[in-house]
Amino acid sequence: MPVRRESFVHTLRAQWLGQQMRELRERRGFTLKRAAEFLERDFSSVARWERAEWPFRRDVVVALLDLYGEHDPRTRAHFVQLAEDAWRTDRWDDDYDELVDSSFIDFPWLESRAERICSFDAMLMPGLMQIPEYAEAVIRNAEGQRATAFSVAKWMQLRLDRQRVLEPEFGVTVSAVIDESVLRRPVGGPELMRGQLKHLGELLRLPNIEVRVLPATVGLHAGLDGSFWLFTMPKPYPEVAYTETLGGRLFMESPKSRRYAEAYDRLKQIALDRPGSAKLIATIAEEL
């Protein structure tokens, strides 16, 4: 009789765990073969666990942590918690704030792996589309009194590194619906905004980038609750929605992300088309 394969719903927690276990193994100088021999498993099993084709079980994670010499209680708790929750697709921030640092499945991690990135931007230019001067003004405002030359430079470099996904050869489609008020918000003064709007117009010429402006004449719409982002991940991984408030960040996997996907589709339908958006961007730049 054919072997019945265990059904597993692929999740980003499982993918993150597989990546982290692989990186730990490589840092400690162990090969897949050595790990497989220690577990008394075949080579392909460990490879599938690391690729998240199969979920890591808790006992396997504990055994590998012993092999790799990882004895820090906090780090071990992080890996074990991920293994126990590999099946979950709900919000991440409540579960992991005490277990992992801010790099856990964050914006750069999602952007670098997504096939498509969509955003509704109600207050500021999309981060991926900000010129350095605009980004610096935003970062200094966010940091407030905590801003130092080092912290601003660090966040600026992260922003510039993220923008590499805009390059067509990277293979990511980037789509944004931007509220007209964002184009008119005087961040850094007229000269800076002229440069930002010119840059936005140039990005519109790239084949993998779509920008649509939601005109100020639109009243009630699906984005009144604020900005949000959608990440379409490679199959079999789920779509992810992200939003943030002063109360914290919120990540949601499918099916909970569907509400945001539907809202984005509705916003695109009432936004200006590509030529209309380009014309309005140019007009506002000329008015500055």
Side-chain angles (χ1 to χ4, degrees), residues 5 18 47 274:
R5 290 186 175 274
R274 194 184 192 99

Side-chain angles (χ1 to χ4, degrees), residues 3-288:
V3 177
R4 181 176 180 271
R5 290 186 175 274
E6 180 181 359
S7 175
F8 172 58
V9 177
H10 294 80
T11 68
L12 288 178
R13 279 182 172 92
Q15 187 182 24
W16 180 259
L17 174 59
Q19 174 186 309
Q20 295 294 294
M21 291 298 291
R22 183 185 72 250
E23 291 178 356
L24 178 61
R25 172 179 60 77
E26 292 173 346
R27 284 199 307 270
R28 299 299 167 83
F30 288 89
T31 63
L32 275 172
K33 181 180 179 181
R34 177 70 184 92
E37 289 174 347
F38 179 79
L39 296 171
E40 297 183 343
R41 297 277 186 154
D42 60 274
F43 177 97
S44 62
S45 293
V46 181
R48 288 191 177 98
W49 283 325
E50 290 187 350
R51 293 195 299 265
E53 293 176 7
W54 293 347
F56 265 109
R57 296 199 314 271
R58 183 185 189 280
D59 60 324
V60 172
V61 168
V62 171
L64 288 176
L65 292 176
D66 291 342
L67 173 65
Y68 302 155
E70 181 53 73
H71 303 302
D72 178 72
R74 183 179 174 84
T75 302
R76 290 177 70 92
H78 153 61
F79 283 113
V80 170
Q81 187 70 56
L82 279 173
E84 292 179 346
D85 290 349
W87 57 273
R88 295 183 62 180
T89 62
D90 52 1
R91 59 186 297 171
W92 306 335
D93 53 335
D94 286 346
D95 304 307
Y96 293 100
D97 280 349
E98 298 302 318
L99 292 175
V100 297
D101 60 29
S102 59
S103 68
F104 173 65
I105 309 186
D106 58 9
F107 244 62
W109 192 86
L110 288 168
E111 287 173 340
S112 65
R113 289 160 176 79
E115 292 181 338
R116 186 167 185 253
I117 302 169
C118 299
S119 66
F120 170 62
D121 301 273
M123 300 301 294
L124 295 169
M125 293 286 178
L128 292 177
M129 301 179 187
Q130 294 175 6
I131 60 174
E133 295 84 356
Y134 189 103
E136 181 176 358
V138 170
I139 290 168
R140 288 190 179 279
N141 178 71
E143 290 283 282
Q145 295 181 348
R146 298 171 299 174
T148 64
F150 175 79
S151 67
V152 171
K154 179 187 70 174
W155 289 115
M156 284 285 293
Q157 188 59 53
L158 175 61
R159 182 68 52 89
L160 295 175
D161 288 344
R162 287 170 51 198
Q163 292 182 356
R164 289 180 298 179
V165 304
L166 296 179
E167 300 169 6
E169 56 268 27
F170 208 86
V172 179
T173 300
V174 179
S175 177
V177 174
I178 305 176
D179 192 278
E180 182 180 339
S181 63
V182 173
L183 308 182
R184 299 185 181 278
R185 181 161 288 110
V187 175
E191 184 176 354
L192 189 158
M193 285 303 300
R194 279 195 295 270
Q196 175 63 68
L197 293 175
K198 179 182 177 181
H199 177 67
L200 193 61
E202 292 170 347
L203 289 176
L204 277 169
R205 301 189 184 103
L206 296 178
N208 61 314
I209 295 178
E210 178 184 33
V211 174
R212 298 199 178 200
V213 178
L214 185 68
T217 53
V218 174
L220 298 177
H221 57 75
L224 292 176
D225 289 325
S227 302
F228 61 87
W229 294 258
L230 285 166
F231 301 90
T232 301
M233 309 302 290
K235 292 186 180 302
Y237 295 100
E239 181 180 60
V240 179
Y242 170 85
T243 187
E244 62 182 39
T245 67
L246 290 175
R249 307 180 305 161
L250 178 62
F251 294 86
M252 289 161 288
E253 296 180 41
S254 182
K256 295 184 178 181
S257 62
R258 290 308 306 162
R259 180 179 178 186
Y260 289 88
E262 291 167 0
Y264 188 78
D265 289 340
R266 290 169 58 194
L267 288 165
K268 278 191 65 175
Q269 290 172 9
I270 59 176
L272 299 176
D273 60 14
R274 194 184 192 99
S277 296
K279 182 178 179 180
L280 181 55
I281 292 169
T283 299
I284 295 175
E286 291 174 0
E287 292 173 354
L288 291 170

